[in-house]
Amino acid sequence: MSGTIAEFDLIQRYFAVHAPRHPFNQLGIGDDCALINIPAGFQLALTTDTMVENVHFFADADPESLGHKLLAVNLSDLAAMGAEPFAVTLALTLPKVDECWLRAFSNGFMALARQHKVDLIGGDTTSGPLTLTVQAMGVVPLGGALLRSGAKVGDRIYVSGPIGDAGLGLKIKQGYICNAPEQALNAFNKPLPRVDEGLVLRDVANACIDISDGLAADLGHILERSGVGACLQWKCLPLSAEVFDYVENSGDWRMPLTAGDDYELCFTVPSDSSPQLPAGCRCIGVIEAESGLRIERAGRLESLGATGFEHFS
Ligand code: ADP
Ligand code: MG
């Protein structure tokens, strides 16, 4: 990318080019490719996620939160497979070089990377409409990854934490008045990828997914891939007081089930096991043979279609 500041200077300045810290990463930023050594007995888990201005975030979004969230959504995909992250690449398409924006974005991104001991080992920088892409790499023991396809009839369905807070955060940004908006806004702006939880679940869960498009849609993927159905219990859903109030006030009880961006894990556990689960996990329903997703609420059985966010509908 040409401009006032050369591409590599920009990378040096804002992404603290350093020798890789993780032992798998032999060579990081600076050559044509990075070099990685995957030890025998492990598989590489690879994922990529893009965030586009005005599609995934508002034009005035806080750049530090954006840097955090871009990395968080990618680490969340690794968490859902039970993979341990070790490296990421970053492709930046920027309309202009705004050093203030870049510094804040980099602070958010690199702080979360350090927290998870993940090296930034490469990327690309181009000019164009603001588009942010990360590729994240993790490892799992050979054959040990958590898949969407492993749910069995009778499994208990769990979530790793509260749902609907990020959805409420979006409503607040759109004008909904909430007395205590901090938790919801924080859930929307700075989701925490459940990496440690994913590692524990590897030995426990039959199937797992991260909730990016809403619980109903994402659990729907587990059901479809596993060839099963499910019934949820409304009273078992972990809802914050603010989400509960929103539902009471608006009557929109589907919101916590259909709003995206929670980045909690949804997973299923065999009914005959009683494993030690990570703190905050809550059982919300059971896998059934009858296809489709249902929820028992106020004595009624309601059907939940796949009603999450889709890009081309
Ligand atoms: P090439 O033209 O060979 O693709 P570049 O000039 O694009 O190489 O990049 C030089 C080095 O800087 C490479 O190691 C590349 O991975 C790294 N790099 C470029 N952009 C980024 C970025 N946004 N984040 C991290 N590393 C980057
Ligand atoms: Mg390039």
Side-chain angles (χ1 to χ4, degrees):
M1 176 176 154
S2 61
T4 46
I5 163 171
E7 172 179 337
F8 198 70
D9 291 346
L10 185 152
I11 304 308
Q12 286 277 9
R13 194 172 300 174
Y14 297 108
F15 296 97
V17 177
H18 57 75
R21 300 184 183 105
H22 195 285
F24 296 176
N25 300 325
Q26 187 188 322
L27 183 64
I29 293 174
D31 214 313
D32 292 307
C33 292
L35 293 173
I36 296 169
N37 299 312
I38 306 290
F42 288 89
Q43 278 177 306
L44 178 65
L46 195 62
T47 181
T48 190
D49 251 306
T50 293
M51 289 172 47
V52 180
E53 185 178 52
N54 297 321
V55 178
H56 300 91
F57 57 91
F58 299 107
D60 64 352
D62 164 46
E64 185 175 346
S65 298
L66 261 187
H68 172 104
K69 189 164 178 173
L70 175 68
L71 181 54
V73 304
N74 279 277
L75 296 184
S76 178
D77 279 325
L78 292 180
M81 303 286 289
E84 184 183 337
F86 66 90
V88 290
T89 64
L90 172 64
L92 291 175
T93 302
L94 306 170
K96 58 180 186 303
V97 175
D98 174 343
E99 301 209 29
C100 202
W101 188 96
L102 271 168
R103 182 168 296 115
F105 174 84
S106 155
N107 283 344
F109 187 95
M110 297 308 278
L112 187 64
R114 265 194 305 277
Q115 202 177 314
H116 287 278
K117 301 188 173 61
V118 166
D119 290 319
L120 176 63
I121 59 167
D124 197 18
T125 310
T126 53
S127 82
L130 188 58
T131 305
L132 314 167
T133 298
V134 160
Q135 183 176 55
M137 285 150 269
V139 282
V140 283
L142 193 61
L146 282 169
L147 305 181
R148 297 176 176 186
S149 54
K152 305 274 183 307
V153 173
D155 281 5
R156 312 229 174 282
I157 303 165
Y158 286 81
V159 285
S160 61
I163 56 161
D165 282 316
L168 183 63
L170 179 60
K171 298 262 178 218
I172 291 168
K173 285 189 168 246
Q174 292 167 337
Y176 174 77
I177 307 290
C178 175
N179 291 329
E182 293 78 16
Q183 183 178 336
L185 286 173
N186 211 44
F188 180 77
N189 290 324
K190 289 198 149 183
L192 294 176
R194 300 298 186 188
V195 172
D196 293 338
E197 288 81 352
L199 295 181
V200 171
L201 294 176
R202 203 159 65 195
D203 298 323
V204 168
N206 273 345
C208 187
I209 194 167
D210 69 317
I211 306 175
S212 54
D213 297 333
L215 175 64
D218 289 316
L219 175 55
H221 295 310
I222 288 185
L223 303 182
E224 197 181 319
R225 298 296 291 269
S226 301
V228 293
C231 187
L232 303 179
Q233 297 295 325
W234 169 262
K235 63 177 189 300
C236 296
L237 296 179
L239 305 181
S240 67
E242 291 73 34
V243 168
F244 191 80
D245 284 348
Y246 167 83
V247 168
E248 292 283 287
N249 295 337
S250 66
D252 178 15
W253 62 268
R254 285 183 161 82
M255 186 282 279
L257 297 157
T258 55
D261 274 343
D262 284 318
Y263 298 102
E264 295 294 342
L265 299 178
C266 175
F267 58 97
T268 83
V269 172
S271 59
D272 57 1
S273 72
S274 44
Q276 191 77 26
L277 293 175
C281 291
R282 291 273 290 273
C283 180
I284 59 168
V286 62
I287 297 289
E288 298 179 338
E290 184 189 339
S291 67
L293 177 57
R294 299 160 285 285
I295 186 164
E296 213 174 297
R297 179 177 174 276
R300 291 182 49 174
L301 200 57
E302 311 257 8
S303 168
L304 286 170
T307 39
F309 183 77
E310 294 210 23
H311 278 273
F312 295 104
S313 60

